[in-house]
Amino acid sequence: MTLSSISPLLDSRPPVFDPETVAGWLAAHWGLSGQLSPLTSERDLNHRLDAPHGRFVVKIANLAEPHAMTRFQTRALRHAAACDPTLPIPHVVTTRDGTEDVILPSGHLMRVLTWLDGAPLATLPPSPLQAAGVARLGARLARAMQGFSDPAADHSLQWDIKRAAQLRPLLPHISDPALRAVATATLDRFDTRVAPALPALRWQVIHGDLNPHNLLGDPAAPDHVTGILDFGDMVLTPMVCDLAIAAAYCLDPADPAASLAAFAAAWATEYPLTAAEITVLPDLVAARMVTTLAITSFRAARYPENAPYILRNFPSAAQGLTALAKAGPEALSRALARLTPMDAPMTRDPMPNAFVPGAGNLGPTEAAMVDRRQHLLGPAYRLFYETPVHLLRGQGVWLYDPEGNAYLDTYNNVASVGHCHPRVVAAMAEQAATLATHTRYLHDGVLEYAERLLAHFPPDLAHVMFTCTGSEANDLALRLARAATGGTGIIVTENAYHGVTASVAEFSPSLGPGVPLGAHVRTIPAPDARHGDPATTFTAHVQAAIDDLIRHGIRPALLIVDTVFSSDGLFTDPPGFLAPAAAAIRAAGGLFLADEVQPGFGRTGGHMWGFQRHGVTPDMVSLGKPMGNGYPVAGLVLQPHVIAEFGAKARYFNTFGGNAVAAATAMAVLSVIEEEGLMQNAARVGATFRAGLETLATRHPAMGDIRSAGLFLAVDIVTDGRPDRARAGRLVNALREAGILISATGPQGHTLKIRPPLVFSEDNAALFLDRLDVILRRDG
């Protein structure tokens, strides 16, 4: 067997281009110039660029590496930086055209990354403190990579420890017979004890090569680890493999058991370990050392001119493997037994497209938290799911529990551009560190945001008033409507939700019978196209409500609708049916308020606002916390005639509504939506998602009607064609166990409500569909 039959990359030479040619490409595509200095690499061509405004790394990938692989690494870097913005890792430098790489005429792929200062740890004196720093930083990176998926991640990489058994043909290249014998015994043990255990471990994309040449430190403080380089060995594999790789280079040969236990303990402070991971760790460390010995021995013989570079990690691997063998598995197990594994049951299969159901019971920590919560917060609060989710952090479309389990968020529209979007967080923090005060002082940022926001509305909607929440916005809208119309009557749909203030709760029927509706409120059925033409039926219901208000001596003031009727079960089609209803309320002297808290900011895909699908301009539009990606900023956009009467007699202010921090945060959200094309993403991914749901429905009778607009989707769950609330509830909880967060809605509670952050991808949708399919096949 040749090495090329195992991995073509390991049997191919790096690219060769002269610096002048590389400099020409840099100038043409990146607009960069400066001094190029070659950097060593096993399979790529790398240069350092000293430019007038900074240093960069120029990388030209090996022609044997598919472009999808290099782009997978680019996306992984971007994901890790978004999840942990302070991680010291390179960032991708885009070209003049905004792309992240260039395909050269030769077919090679070229990238530019930012330079990280520091010295390789291999050039600095090792110490236990340095080793602990490596462990903690490696664990942070591994934690940041949770939830990341890419079609190229599950590729064949011979350095991947899970493939250690394939190294046997290379063992003859280890020239030392004694060392070769230890390597053979290590692989024998790997085959019998480790390989069978791998499928049950937690899998994710890992760095794959946390060796001292890829880790940077501070020469003035050698214990301080300052950076991580070279993401070329990233692969989907058990997470603990990254720990094993890093540990293999930090092992103290004089006391391998104690040093390995200390390293694992430091790792666990950032990323807790399971008992199964702790058990296989020593064998994985040994397997990594065998991997190093076998591959470098082969390549050094094949390319003797590059042997010093290729063999740089051979001595430490040989010494470490010998030390592990001398210590013996029992001593290693005893040392690691002092670690405390996380005790939560595993809920998902390691592979990204399947899952294993969990026990569905609260652990002791979460049970105690529920009791504590009820004692402290009182009886009115509610929790999602039969087994509540305990969350510590979020990033993008993912939420994470204390054990590091990732949950795909397909419900939280508040984090509209993704949890903890680094650009939004940075804008918020920067402004908070500069000025945070109310809107009764002049501030450019507040005015600039108002101008930019209003530019997304029809010209007639010319004013914006800032609040902290959508509830406040709707409360303010009610005050303005009463002043403008002289009326008090309100018309809403039968299961609408518009907020929690005292006045708004009176026209939020979805809060249930415990929150009585006001005597001035009339409810009407949602515009369900299955029960007739919505334009005709909905307008007739609005008119009937108007007539009933007048008959009871109540002047109509307001028709308020969530423009996708999400709490009613999501009714979006056909576009245009809202216009005649708006005309009806105006003819009666009232106003039309479009509640855009849920459908607004591009969620429906084709338009920025839900009302635009219907070709109508409201008198007022209420916005909520998606406006600030969860930061408490909201607002009311309105036509000038609405505020004329109120503004002449009353004043409005809100201490926190629309302050400088709120404006800076909201501005960042708007920029992300525009510049990352999230409205277009909602249209594209939403269409793919709906098509996938419709395909599933052909196989599963439990899936009834499917409705959607962009990245807002609903699926009715039925039994024999009838709404089945209990079945929908079971499905919501089964999805939670499968790592998918979702909820149900509608007056009968049988409609799955799918409302993910706008950064949701087609891969995310595929994962949702796969797990929904598995649950429906399993549970019917």
Side-chain angles (χ1 to χ4, degrees), residues 449 453 465-470 472-473 601 623-635 656-659 661-667 669:
Y449 177 67
L453 176 68
M465 302 175 74
F466 293 114
T467 64
C468 295
T469 68
E472 286 183 356
F601 290 98
L623 311 175
K625 285 186 287 292
M627 182 176 178
N629 209 48
Y631 184 89
V633 56
F656 295 107
N659 67 35
V661 180
T665 306
M667 183 76 88
V669 170

Side-chain angles (χ1 to χ4, degrees), residues 9-34:
L9 269 177
L10 296 179
D11 200 27
S12 59
R13 294 180 179 274
V16 178
F17 295 104
D18 61 78
E20 291 77 16
T21 301
V22 175
W25 290 326
L26 278 171
H29 296 291
W30 279 270
L32 293 173
S33 62

Side-chain angles (χ1 to χ4, degrees), residues 605-774:
H607 302 280
M608 194 69 166
W609 315 110
F611 68 79
Q612 291 175 307
R613 301 179 70 249
H614 296 284
V616 61
T617 299
D619 298 289
M620 294 181 282
V621 180
S622 55
L623 311 175
K625 285 186 287 292
M627 182 176 178
N629 209 48
Y631 184 89
V633 56
L636 184 70
V637 178
L638 60 154
Q639 297 193 34
H641 73 87
V642 174
I643 189 124
E645 184 68 22
F646 180 91
K649 299 178 179 179
R651 63 190 177 97
Y652 170 79
F653 75 95
N654 188 311
T655 302
F656 295 107
N659 67 35
V661 180
T665 306
M667 183 76 88
V669 170
L670 203 53
S671 295
V672 169
I673 291 172
E674 294 169 352
E675 295 170 19
E676 295 187 9
L678 296 188
M679 183 170 72
Q680 295 78 8
N681 185 72
R684 183 180 64 256
V685 176
T688 301
F689 204 167
R690 175 165 182 161
L693 289 168
E694 290 173 339
T695 299
L696 277 188
T698 64
R699 304 197 297 267
H700 299 294
M703 296 176 65
D705 193 45
I706 297 169
R707 301 174 295 280
S708 70
L711 273 177
F712 212 141
L713 304 99
V715 182
D716 290 344
I717 302 301
V718 298
T719 297
D720 297 329
R722 297 185 179 88
D724 193 330
R725 182 190 190 104
R727 192 174 199 172
R730 291 194 300 272
L731 188 53
V732 166
N733 281 285
L735 282 166
R736 172 256 184 268
E737 290 296 321
I740 306 287
L741 300 185
I742 193 175
S743 187
T745 190
Q748 300 184 70
H750 75 296
T751 303
L752 299 186
K753 186 176 185 179
I754 307 170
R755 186 187 55 182
L758 298 179
V759 292
F760 206 73
S761 70
E762 291 176 341
D763 287 344
N764 299 145
L767 177 60
F768 178 101
L769 294 167
D770 182 83
R771 293 189 179 176
L772 177 60
D773 186 32
V774 171

Side-chain angles (χ1 to χ4, degrees), residues 492-528:
V492 297
T493 50
E494 291 173 338
N495 204 56
Y497 171 74
H498 295 292
V500 294
T501 67
S503 60
V504 178
E506 287 188 338
F507 58 88
S508 291
S510 70
L511 293 175
V515 183
L517 299 179
H520 57 292
V521 175
R522 297 295 182 271
T523 63
I524 59 176
D528 189 342

Side-chain angles (χ1 to χ4, degrees), residues 269-609:
T269 63
E270 295 285 347
Y271 199 149
L273 301 170
T274 67
E277 289 165 342
I278 294 170
T279 298
V280 299
L281 178 58
D283 290 306
L284 288 173
V285 173
R288 171 62 182 201
M289 293 171 171
V290 171
T291 302
T292 299
L293 297 173
I295 291 178
T296 60
S297 295
F298 175 88
R299 284 188 59 82
R302 179 66 62 92
Y303 306 113
E305 72 281 3
N306 203 25
Y309 173 79
I310 293 171
L311 292 171
R312 59 187 180 169
N313 290 322
F314 186 98
S316 66
Q319 190 177 27
L321 185 64
T322 302
L324 286 177
K326 184 177 180 180
E330 292 77 15
L332 295 166
S333 296
R334 284 196 303 270
L336 290 171
R338 293 192 291 269
L339 295 176
T340 301
M342 61 186 224
D343 55 5
M346 292 298 297
T347 58
R348 284 178 299 290
D349 185 87
M351 301 308 290
N353 292 325
F355 71 94
V356 177
N361 297 316
L362 283 173
T365 300
E366 283 71 28
M369 287 186 71
V370 170
D371 290 341
R372 183 182 175 205
R373 173 187 168 102
Q374 291 174 342
H375 175 72
L376 294 171
L377 305 185
Y381 282 90
R382 301 292 187 270
L383 286 163
F384 279 147
Y385 313 114
E386 292 175 356
T387 305
V389 183
H390 179 191
L391 297 174
L392 289 188
R393 66 185 186 91
Q395 191 62 52
V397 298
W398 297 95
L399 293 165
Y400 301 93
D401 68 15
E403 287 74 43
N405 294 312
Y407 296 84
L408 182 64
D409 186 359
T410 65
Y411 181 74
N412 286 288
N413 78 306
V414 170
S416 56
V417 299
H419 296 281
C420 303
H421 193 291
R423 185 167 177 182
V424 178
V425 172
M428 184 192 311
E430 181 178 353
Q431 184 58 53
T434 306
L435 175 70
T437 187
H438 51 70
T439 51
R440 286 191 287 179
Y441 301 122
L442 292 173
H443 191 274
D444 286 336
V446 176
L447 303 180
E448 288 168 1
Y449 177 67
E451 289 172 341
R452 190 163 170 192
L453 176 68
L454 290 173
H456 285 278
F457 284 89
D460 288 346
L461 290 160
H463 292 330
V464 57
M465 302 175 74
F466 293 114
T467 64
C468 295
T469 68
S471 296
E472 286 183 356
N474 285 330
D475 190 279
L476 176 60
L478 178 59
R479 294 174 64 192
L480 299 182
R482 287 172 172 171
T485 67
T488 59
I490 301 171
I491 302 171
V492 297
T493 50
E494 291 173 338
N495 204 56
Y497 171 74
H498 295 292
V500 294
T501 67
S503 60
V504 178
E506 287 188 338
F507 58 88
S508 291
S510 70
L511 293 175
V515 183
L517 299 179
H520 57 292
V521 175
R522 297 295 182 271
T523 63
I524 59 176
D528 189 342
R530 294 169 297 185
H531 302 149
D533 171 44
T536 301
T537 58
F538 189 63
T539 304
H541 288 134
V542 169
Q543 189 60 55
I546 291 170
D547 295 342
D548 190 67
L549 287 169
I550 294 172
R551 186 166 56 251
H552 286 82
I554 301 171
R555 182 180 295 181
L558 196 64
L559 167 65
I560 176 172
V561 299
D562 162 356
T563 55
V564 294
F565 301 88
S566 55
S567 296
D568 292 284
L570 195 70
F571 297 102
T572 58
D573 293 316
F577 69 74
L578 269 181
I585 189 66
R586 285 166 171 159
L591 302 176
F592 172 47
L593 169 58
D595 185 329
E596 293 286 344
V597 172
Q598 297 197 58
F601 290 98
R603 176 164 295 280
T604 60
H607 302 280
M608 194 69 166
W609 315 110

